Amino acid sequence: MHADLTQLKNFLIDSSLISAKDLNAAIEEVGENEKKVEDVLIAKGLISEDEMRRAKAYVIGIPFVDLRKEKVAKDILVIIPEPIARKHNIVAYKKSGESLEVAMLDPLDLEAIEFIKKGSKLKILPRLTDTESMKAVLLQYQKSLKAEFGDIIQKEAASLKMVTTTEGEEVGEGELKKLAEDLPIVRIVDTLLSHAISQKASDIHIESFEDELIIRYRLDGVLHDAMILPKETAPGITARLKVLANLRLDEKRLPQDGRFKIEADGQNVSFRVSTLPTYYGEKIVMRLLPDSVHGFTLEGVGFHGDGLEHIQEAIRRTTGMILVTGPTGSGKSTTLYALLDILNTPDVNISTIEDPIEYQISRINQTQVKPDIGLTFASGLRTLVRQDPDIIMVGEIRDRETAGLAVNAALTGHLVLSTLHTNSAAGSVPRLLDMGVEPFLLVSTVNIIIAQRLVRRLNDNKEEYFLTDAELKELGKKTDLDKLLLVLQKEKVTQEKDWQKIPFYRPKVSAGESEGKDEDGYSGRVGISEVLPMTRTLRDLIISGATSDAIVEEAKREGMMTIFEDGLYKAARGVTSIEEVLRVITE
C-alpha cells in the first residue's frame, strides 16, 4: 500500500499545494524515487511534513483525524504502551467491538500496525494525523500516569500504619523495618521510582517540611515539582529507601550514602542514594543511572566543525592527556564515555578509576573509588599503571597527588582522559599549576582541553523570530558576531550576510501548558562547548606564565569558539534558544 508518484504529483498540483515547476525540479534532481522527492520538497520548505502526509493519505484513501482537543479514554490509550507509541508515533484513540482505530504520522508503517495487532488481538484501522495531534495525545500518557500515581498515593496513604512515639523517644530499628515493609509504603515507593524513570528524570529530591513531603524531579537539568504527599508518608518512604540502599535505619543524625538497582522497561537502572538530616526530617536525593548505555557519539553530544576535528586528532595520539572541564552536571562524564566508545577497540587495554561508575561499558575495566577502605583516585591510579594499560580514564583530578600521577602516566606512554572542575578550558591551566604540576610538564602532556555545559533542546513546539538592532548590539558586547557569522556560513547553517535575516527560535507554550518538561517547549539536552588544542603558541604562553585571559585571547585568535559562541551557533541552527544559552552561561 503506497502512494503512486503520478497520482501524488497530480494531487499536489491540483490542490495548489505546490507548483508544477517546483515539483518537476525536485523529480529532476532525485529521479522517480517517491521518498526522495518528498524529502527534497520538505527540505526546501516548499511543503510541510503534515501537508505531505495529508496528500499521501488522500491519494491512498486513508481518513485524516484531528485529535488536538480529543480526550482519549485511559483504557484505550494504554492498549499501545507509551514507549511503542513514542517510537512509532502511533496512538490508539477509539475502540468499536473488535476494531481499534489508531492515529499515525505514517499510516504506511506496516511493521508498527502488525505489532499492535498481535499485542492487542484487535483489527487495526490506521488513520492519519498531524504532529500537533500526536503531541497532544502523547501528552495524555504523562497526565494519565500522574493521575494514576496520585490515586495510588491517596489510596495507600489512607491505609498507612502510623508510628506513634512519646516526645523525645527514638523509633527503634525493628519498628522502622516493619514500616518499610508495610504494603502501602512499598507500593508508593515502587510507583514513585517507576514514574521517575518514565519521565526520564536524572534526579529525585524527597524533601520533608512541616506539613508536607515534596517530591521533585530534575528533568533536562531543571527541577520540577512532581508530587506533594501527606507528611505522614515521610517516615515510611525514608525507611523503605534506606532498606533498598542498605543504609542504617536508626541513623538520622548523620548523612548516609548507598545504592540499589531495579529493572524497568527492560533495562537496569541504578539509584545512587544520599540522605541528609534537616530540621523537619531527612532529605533524600537519588541520582538515576542506567547501568548500560551505548551508542554515544561526539556529534550526538554536540561537537561539530573545527572543534570536532581537534578532538578526533587528539584521540588518535597514543600518549598525553585529554581533559574535560565544567561544573557538576555539565555532561563531562558523557563526553568521556563517548571518547572511550571510539577508543574501545580489541587492540587496546582500557582501564578506568571512577566515582561513581555511571555507565558500564563492555571490554573496559572499570574500578569504583572506595575512600573508606583506602581506594582513592590516587591509589587506584598508582595500581592502574601497573596493569599494562594503553588508555586510562580518571573520573576526576581532585588533588595534587592525583594530578601528579596523571601527568606521570601521560609522560610514560599512556593516553589519559580525565575531568576537572573549572569554568572554562583556559581555567584548567592555573588549576593544574595550583595543584603543583610544573608548567613544562603541563605543556608536554596536555593534548586538548574541552570545556562544556548542557542546554535544553527546543522541541517541535517552537516559534521563529528575528533579532532586533538592540538585541544584536547586546550580543555584540559578548562576542564577535562577524567571526561567528563566518562559522555559520562555513558549516552551511546559513548563507545570509546579515544577522537580522537569520531566524532564531523560542518555545511556543500554549495557554494552560505550564508543567512538565515537554510542555515548556524543551525536551532533552545537548552540549555547548569550547575546545582548546595545545598549540605551540599556547605552550610558549603557558611556559612564560601568561594569565588564563591571555590564553583565551590567543586561542580565539587561532579560531577557538567560546562556549557562548557555540551556544549562539546552536541557537542559529534552531537546536536551542538564546534565552536558554544565556541561562546556562550565567548560572
Side-chain angles (χ1 to χ4, degrees):
M1 182 173 65
H2 61 89
D4 177 80
L5 182 58
T6 303
Q7 289 179 294
L8 184 61
K9 177 181 173 180
N10 291 337
F11 178 77
L12 289 172
I13 295 170
D14 291 344
S15 57
S16 301
L17 285 170
I18 194 167
S19 70
K21 180 183 175 183
D22 288 336
L23 186 52
N24 289 327
I27 293 172
E28 280 181 23
E29 185 175 333
V30 296
E32 296 287 327
N33 186 313
E34 176 201 323
K35 179 62 180 165
K36 289 184 178 178
V37 171
E38 291 174 32
D39 292 342
V40 167
L41 295 173
I42 293 167
K44 289 184 175 181
L46 298 171
I47 189 170
S48 71
E49 287 188 41
D50 282 337
E51 286 172 334
M52 181 60 79
R53 288 192 191 104
R54 288 197 189 209
K56 288 176 69 178
Y58 181 85
V59 170
I60 60 180
I62 292 179
F64 177 86
V65 290
D66 184 348
L67 301 175
R68 284 176 295 180
K69 297 180 181 178
E70 189 84 14
K71 180 71 176 77
V72 180
K74 180 185 164 186
D75 59 330
I76 294 174
L77 186 68
V78 298
I79 291 174
I80 300 177
E82 185 181 6
I84 301 297
R86 289 189 179 277
K87 181 179 178 183
H88 292 279
N89 283 307
I90 178 171
V91 291
Y93 70 95
K94 188 176 180 182
K95 184 173 177 284
S96 306
E98 296 301 307
S99 298
L100 180 69
E101 292 187 44
V102 297
M104 309 174 69
L105 292 185
D106 180 10
L108 306 180
D109 187 350
L110 301 180
E111 182 186 347
I113 293 171
E114 191 61 29
F115 183 84
I116 304 302
K117 182 179 178 181
K118 284 181 180 177
S120 65
K121 303 290 193 295
L122 296 168
K123 180 183 178 183
I124 306 301
L125 304 175
R127 305 287 185 254
L128 174 78
T129 194
D130 55 24
T131 49
E132 291 300 318
S133 291
M134 184 59 62
K135 282 170 58 181
V137 180
L138 288 175
L139 196 58
Q140 292 181 38
Y141 276 100
Q142 291 183 23
K143 291 179 178 175
S144 173
L145 189 59
K146 284 183 182 178
E148 181 184 343
F149 183 61
D151 290 343
I152 292 172
I153 293 298
Q154 289 177 2
K155 180 182 173 184
E156 304 299 347
S159 59
L160 282 177
K161 299 169 186 172
M162 294 297 104
V163 179
T164 55
T165 59
T166 56
E167 191 173 346
E169 181 188 346
E170 289 289 333
V171 182
E173 185 172 4
E175 189 82 20
L176 287 169
K177 193 165 186 179
K178 282 183 186 176
L179 185 61
E181 293 169 354
D182 197 13
L183 194 56
I185 284 294
V186 172
R187 285 176 181 155
I188 288 172
V189 172
D190 286 351
T191 311
L192 172 68
L193 300 181
S194 298
H195 188 233
I197 292 169
S198 72
Q199 291 281 77
K200 294 183 173 60
S202 61
D203 301 85
I204 306 172
H205 290 235
I206 302 175
E207 301 162 302
S208 289
F209 294 98
E210 185 175 9
D211 301 314
E212 60 195 12
L213 184 73
I214 296 178
I215 312 288
R216 295 196 288 170
Y217 296 158
R218 189 172 294 280
L219 307 168
D220 296 336
V222 179
L223 276 173
H224 296 266
D225 280 3
M227 193 65 56
I228 297 176
L229 310 183
K231 174 70 173 176
E232 293 76 27
T233 61
I237 289 175
T238 302
R240 177 62 183 165
L241 291 170
K242 282 185 173 182
V243 166
L244 290 172
N246 200 25
L247 302 178
R248 286 186 56 186
L249 287 170
D250 57 346
E251 179 57 82
K252 300 178 182 179
R253 298 167 300 171
L254 293 173
Q256 297 188 73
D257 292 294
R259 191 169 181 143
F260 66 91
K261 184 186 298 183
I262 67 171
E263 185 177 338
D265 295 332
Q267 67 167 338
N268 290 325
V269 179
S270 291
F271 289 79
R272 199 170 77 218
V273 182
S274 171
T275 71
L276 179 72
T278 65
Y279 187 79
Y280 289 112
E282 290 177 276
K283 176 183 178 180
I284 297 178
V285 175
M286 292 182 282
R287 167 67 56 89
L288 281 67
L289 301 167
D291 260 13
S292 180
V293 176
H294 55 84
F296 285 133
T297 64
L298 292 173
E299 293 86 352
V301 172
F303 296 105
H304 60 93
D306 291 343
L308 179 59
E309 287 182 19
H310 290 317
I311 295 171
Q312 289 170 337
E313 183 183 338
I315 61 177
R316 283 195 290 269
R317 300 183 187 178
T318 56
T319 62
M321 290 179 70
I322 296 174
L323 295 175
V324 184
T325 77
T328 302
S330 60
K332 300 188 298 296
S333 296
T334 303
T335 297
L336 284 183
Y337 283 119
L339 294 172
L340 288 179
D341 207 30
I342 296 168
L343 293 165
N344 190 11
T345 56
D347 57 334
V348 294
N349 173 23
I350 303 178
S351 295
T352 76
I353 179 84
E354 305 173 57
D355 183 24
I357 297 172
E358 295 200 13
Y359 307 113
Q360 293 174 1
I361 305 179
S362 64
R363 299 181 67 93
I364 291 182
N365 309 288
Q366 296 173 267
T367 302
Q368 168 72 52
V369 166
K370 294 179 181 174
D372 51 327
I373 59 170
L375 180 53
T376 61
F377 278 119
S379 63
L381 181 52
R382 196 176 285 111
T383 303
L384 283 189
V385 295
R386 296 197 292 268
Q387 289 276 312
D388 186 32
D390 298 292
I391 299 164
I392 297 171
M393 193 264 268
V394 184
E396 184 187 342
I397 295 176
R398 294 178 179 172
D399 52 48
R400 181 180 292 257
E401 187 179 9
T402 308
L405 289 166
V407 167
N408 189 59
L411 281 170
T412 53
H414 306 92
L415 183 62
V416 179
L417 283 67
S418 190
T419 71
L420 275 174
H421 275 92
T422 61
N423 289 326
S424 66
S428 302
V429 174
R431 179 85 176 103
L432 288 169
L433 294 175
D434 189 51
M435 287 183 178
V437 178
E438 295 291 344
F440 70 91
L441 290 177
L442 191 154
V443 298
S444 302
T445 53
V446 175
N447 297 338
I448 198 165
I449 305 172
I450 303 162
Q452 68 181 62
R453 302 285 191 280
L454 290 176
V455 292
R456 292 179 294 169
R457 285 179 180 272
L458 285 165
N459 60 26
D460 292 334
N461 192 28
K462 58 188 177 184
E463 62 182 4
E464 182 182 276
Y465 73 101
F466 294 88
L467 295 174
T468 63
D469 286 335
E471 289 168 332
L472 283 169
K473 187 177 179 182
E474 196 62 33
L475 288 176
K477 294 177 183 176
K478 297 181 173 68
T479 188
D480 185 345
L481 291 177
D482 292 335
K483 186 186 88 171
L484 184 56
L485 189 57
L486 290 175
V487 174
L488 292 171
Q489 291 167 351
K490 178 183 175 183
E491 297 194 25
K492 298 182 179 176
V493 175
T494 183
Q495 293 306 314
E496 295 290 348
K497 296 181 180 179
D498 184 351
W499 275 101
Q500 288 184 324
K501 293 180 181 178
I502 297 175
F504 285 83
Y505 298 86
R506 57 191 167 205
K508 182 173 65 178
V509 182
S510 304
E513 293 187 354
S514 58
E515 60 171 344
K517 65 171 183 176
D518 289 325
E519 296 160 341
D520 61 7
Y522 298 97
S523 180
R525 289 190 289 175
V526 68
I528 55 174
S529 59
E530 58 189 31
V531 179
L532 179 71
M534 195 59 66
T535 62
R536 183 182 297 277
T537 313
L538 291 179
R539 288 189 174 99
D540 292 342
L541 278 175
I542 293 167
I543 291 290
S544 65
T547 64
S548 58
D549 287 343
I551 294 169
V552 169
E553 287 307 313
E554 178 56 33
K556 285 162 72 174
R557 273 194 294 272
E558 294 180 3
M560 182 188 82
M561 287 179 73
T562 65
I563 292 180
F564 179 62
E565 288 168 345
D566 192 37
L568 283 183
Y569 167 88
K570 290 185 170 70
R573 286 187 56 196
V575 174
T576 189
S577 66
I578 294 177
E579 291 78 10
E580 175 65 7
V581 173
L582 290 170
R583 179 188 72 84
V584 170
I585 293 297
T586 55
E587 271 185 349

